[in-house]
Amino acid sequence: ADRSPPWAGATMATAAGEGSAAKRFWIGSKKESVFASYTPFMVSLAAGKLDMDTFRNFIAQDVYFLKAFSHAYEMAEECSDDDDAKAAINELRKAVLDKLKVHDSVVQEWGIDPTKEIVPNPATLKYTEFLLATADGKIGGGKGAGKIVTPFEKTKVAAYTVGAMAPCIRLSAFLGKELQFHIQYEGNGHPYKKWVDTYSSASFEARASQIEELLDKLSVSLTGEELEIIEKLYHRAMELEIEFYNAQPIVQPVVVPFTKLDDATNHLAIFSDFDLTCTVLDSSAILAEIAILSAFKAGQSGTDNMSAQRLPSDMRNSWDALSRQYTEEHEQCIESLLPSEQAKAFDYESLCKNLEQLSNFEKRTNCRVIESGLLKGIHLEDIKRAGEHLVLQDGCREFFQKVLKIKEKLNVDCHILSYCWCADLIRSSFSSVGCTDDLSIHSNEFNYEGSVSTGEIVRTMESPMDKVKAFRSILANLSSERKHLSVYIGDSVGDLLCLLEADVGVVIGSSLSLRRVGEQFGVSFVPLYPGLIKKQREVPSSDSLVWNGLSGVLYTASSWTEIHAFLFGA
């Protein structure tokens, strides 16, 4: 069954967490929780395909971790001047000591010698040293507990220490529940069920809530600046947790991050739509607003240009009418292209044929916009300014910055395929991200006289057929000396053919028309994370590719952060 991952609704919890510093810090770490879920270790574990030696190594590192936690609790208790806080810290420390006792018996079940000295790996050492330094009061060049004399200074150190520990407990509870969901249908057949049961249990959730309540209690008397220090410690602890999971030695082939399938001898082509895939608002509405504003400014200044004779109110009415007509006719077009009965199997040929109707509709709509004259008189500088301030979807900016960072190292290139009327708007929006020169923009262009638009559009990308034609052409022109992998990210029916032809098609957003059309032609929509777990179960022992275009399966992602985690990791 389809299920949104728990991180998808994290922003909805913001209001509920406003009064709790711990909850606020956790909500602010949504991105890191996604990255942790998508580590090779976690995906392999969820799939039940994690190598047993890797798991044994992980358990041994966890024991070392717990001993450091016990010591940090002891140090935090010494710093606290509140009896209730001391009691809570002491209780949490006892829980760790009890868990270490249980570990002694459990590790033997997994074939680990509890008497053997545990050598921490660099990632384990990095977190434990960070934690113990925090417990010693060494925060950003701080004094160290030995030199802290006032009770209030000591209380702050207790709060900082708990702030560095809480994310580990909360993240473990989060991952335990996520894993429990994905193994629940396997009964007792999952090799790591006992471990998952521990971290998904009500008792472990109670422990996570307990340390969060303690953090809130210790934070009550702190200043805004001191709370910011805790937030930074919390965030750093989350980053170190991800490093810890990524440091676990994975010996079998894995499906995450996707770029691991791609090395210096291969080529990865990433394609993305623009409107409502990258952006929060549709570019057509933004261009219309610029045109209306241009007319308003021309009317105020009395400038004798193409816009001067048009009233902004008339232009607004014209745009509203065009928008209503587009919405109504688009719905009618979608209805008309749907077959009367749902296909029993994926039927790409019929889908292509029926989408011709949508292509004709989009072309008629663009003719209507050009004939209206609405897009006349827009200054190129106004378009560039609007693009630079365009609001992108959460995580989109970081995604393309990551592409830029790894572009040469992994032979990755990136293409934007868009119906947008004005490619200059797209270019300027990515200039603010810092990667204009590294993106290939395939879109329509405004016609200009000087630097002012004539209202004409150079139309090269108007339909699903135009997009898939450009997609095929780009792949055909790649070097034949390398293997190629393609990923397409989109949100609408216009992206459907490209999504399906790519090796991996990822749908972002919640377009009902896309899902309706796809399902009617036999397309399956699978949430990305469960889909990756299923793929991991299917991975052969060699590095054979498990991704193929035209499989009829598309993956749905709740955010760009998910896509980032899947393709590149943390």
Side-chain angles (χ1 to χ4, degrees):
D2 284 5
R3 171 183 179 264
S4 295
W7 52 78
T11 52
M12 295 169 63
T14 303
E18 281 179 354
S20 164
K23 285 186 171 61
R24 190 167 67 250
F25 299 154
W26 170 246
I27 290 165
S29 301
K30 179 177 69 169
K31 178 180 77 172
E32 285 74 24
S33 69
V34 174
F35 283 145
S37 296
Y38 275 78
T39 55
F41 177 84
M42 279 298 163
V43 172
S44 298
L45 194 152
K49 296 295 183 181
L50 186 69
D51 178 77
M52 183 57 74
D53 284 340
T54 298
F55 187 74
R56 290 189 185 109
N57 178 76
F58 168 75
I59 291 294
Q61 296 297 311
D62 195 37
V63 170
Y64 187 92
F65 220 88
L66 288 170
K67 289 176 180 176
F69 254 61
S70 175
H71 189 197
Y73 275 132
E74 190 175 6
M75 294 168 76
E77 186 179 351
E78 289 173 4
C79 286
S80 179
D81 65 347
D82 180 275
D83 289 342
D84 289 341
K86 278 181 177 290
I89 294 170
N90 186 257
E91 193 176 336
L92 285 163
R93 181 168 178 263
K94 283 181 178 177
V96 171
L97 293 173
D98 289 342
K99 192 175 175 190
L100 280 168
K101 290 176 185 174
V102 172
H103 258 69
D104 284 345
S105 61
V106 170
V107 293
Q108 291 179 66
E109 288 182 32
W110 299 111
I112 303 169
D113 181 358
T115 62
K116 186 178 178 181
E117 183 185 358
I118 298 168
V119 179
N121 68 34
T124 303
L125 210 54
K126 201 170 176 182
Y127 193 154
T128 55
E129 287 178 348
F130 157 78
L131 178 58
L132 294 175
T134 302
D136 196 35
K138 296 171 184 172
I139 316 295
K143 300 176 183 178
K147 297 179 182 179
I148 292 174
V149 291
T150 69
F152 185 64
E153 282 184 302
K154 284 191 170 186
T155 300
K156 282 196 296 185
V157 171
Y160 294 158
T161 304
V162 173
M165 299 170 80
C168 175
I169 312 299
R170 173 47 64 197
L171 181 61
S172 296
F174 167 84
L175 293 171
K177 289 175 188 173
E178 179 65 7
L179 291 168
Q180 185 65 255
F181 177 83
H182 294 294
I183 73 166
Q184 64 180 315
Y185 304 111
E186 297 183 39
N188 293 320
H190 194 282
Y192 304 114
K193 184 178 186 302
K194 189 169 184 177
W195 183 87
V196 173
D197 286 346
T198 298
Y199 286 92
S200 61
S201 66
S203 61
F204 195 83
E205 172 59 32
R207 183 179 159 205
S209 297
Q210 188 179 8
I211 195 170
E212 287 173 335
E213 289 167 9
L214 175 61
L215 179 56
D216 288 340
K217 181 178 179 61
L218 293 171
S219 301
V220 167
S221 59
L222 300 186
T223 65
E225 186 178 345
E226 289 159 352
L227 284 170
E228 284 180 11
I229 291 172
I230 296 182
E231 187 168 14
K232 287 176 182 175
L233 290 168
Y234 192 107
H235 185 74
R236 181 58 182 150
M238 286 290 287
E239 291 177 337
L240 292 171
E241 276 285 297
I242 296 166
E243 288 184 29
F244 174 74
Y245 287 119
N246 272 326
Q248 305 311 310
I250 306 295
V251 295
Q252 72 271 21
V254 287
V255 295
V256 289
F258 186 75
T259 46
K260 288 190 79 168
L261 296 172
D262 199 50
D263 58 35
T265 61
N266 295 336
H267 195 113
L268 173 61
I270 299 173
F271 298 82
S272 176
D273 175 47
F274 182 66
D275 286 323
L276 303 181
T277 296
C278 294
T279 66
V280 172
L281 298 174
D282 190 274
S283 65
S284 60
I286 293 166
L287 291 167
E289 288 299 324
I290 299 171
I292 294 166
L293 183 60
S294 296
F296 177 77
K297 288 193 291 187
Q300 280 193 321
S301 63
T303 307
D304 185 21
N305 63 21
M306 290 180 282
S307 298
Q309 303 304 314
R310 296 179 296 164
L311 292 172
S313 57
D314 291 343
M315 293 179 69
R316 172 76 64 193
N317 292 335
S318 175
W319 172 247
D320 288 346
L322 285 168
S323 296
R324 282 194 302 272
Q325 187 175 5
Y326 177 86
T327 301
E328 292 168 5
E329 292 184 4
H330 186 268
E331 289 175 1
Q332 293 168 7
C333 184
I334 294 295
E335 289 296 331
S336 67
L337 64 83
L338 292 172
S340 55
E341 292 185 10
Q342 186 170 329
K344 291 186 172 70
F346 175 47
D347 188 353
Y348 187 69
E349 187 177 342
S350 295
L351 174 62
C352 289
K353 184 178 178 182
N354 285 34
L355 282 179
E356 289 282 3
Q357 297 178 50
L358 187 61
S359 297
N360 295 331
F361 160 75
E362 295 287 2
K363 289 175 182 177
R364 287 196 306 271
T365 298
N366 285 341
C367 285
R368 208 178 286 146
V369 171
I370 293 168
E371 289 165 4
S372 74
L374 184 71
L375 301 177
K376 288 181 182 179
I378 303 177
H379 287 262
L380 178 58
E381 283 306 310
D382 289 336
I383 293 169
K384 289 182 178 179
R385 198 175 301 114
E388 289 166 2
H389 292 89
L390 204 61
V391 180
L392 300 180
Q393 299 276 3
D394 284 348
C396 181
R397 178 184 300 272
E398 292 81 0
F399 176 89
F400 285 102
Q401 287 172 338
K402 183 70 173 183
V403 172
L404 179 64
K405 190 175 180 181
I406 66 169
K407 187 174 186 291
E408 298 302 327
K409 181 182 176 184
L410 289 175
N411 290 315
V412 178
D413 59 24
C414 198
H415 302 265
I416 303 294
L417 274 56
S418 175
Y419 287 176
C420 177
W421 295 325
C422 180
D424 288 310
L425 186 73
I426 302 176
R427 292 186 194 102
S428 57
S429 70
F430 282 108
S431 70
S432 66
V433 176
C435 54
T436 309
D437 296 336
D438 297 278
L439 288 177
S440 298
I441 312 295
H442 311 266
S443 186
N444 305 299
E445 302 273 3
F446 268 7
N447 200 336
Y448 297 98
E449 285 185 2
S451 61
V452 181
S453 65
T454 66
E456 293 292 325
I457 303 171
V458 181
R459 296 149 61 190
T460 57
M461 192 75 66
E462 300 183 278
S463 68
M465 321 315 291
D466 290 338
K467 279 196 171 187
V468 79
K469 182 180 177 182
F471 174 85
R472 291 168 180 167
S473 175
I474 292 163
L475 290 181
N477 288 327
L478 294 177
S479 170
S480 59
E481 296 176 5
R482 292 174 173 165
K483 290 186 293 185
H484 304 127
L485 288 168
S486 58
V487 176
Y488 190 97
I489 304 156
D491 76 303
S492 69
V493 176
D495 300 307
L496 192 47
L497 300 183
C498 292
L499 284 164
L500 289 164
E501 290 204 7
D503 292 311
V504 182
V506 182
V507 177
I508 192 166
S510 54
S511 170
L512 294 177
S513 57
L514 169 62
R515 190 174 282 265
R516 276 191 72 200
V517 172
E519 288 176 345
Q520 205 67 9
F521 288 92
V523 177
S524 299
F525 293 86
V526 178
L528 182 57
Y529 192 65
L532 290 175
I533 293 170
K534 183 174 184 293
K535 278 285 183 186
Q536 186 62 49
R537 292 183 183 125
E538 299 169 356
V539 171
S541 56
S542 66
D543 281 327
S544 303
L545 296 181
V546 293
W547 306 98
N548 301 103
L550 292 177
S551 66
V553 177
L554 298 181
Y555 297 92
T556 59
S558 63
S559 67
W560 276 95
T561 300
E562 264 202 274
I563 302 169
H564 185 151
F566 162 48
L567 293 183
F568 310 126

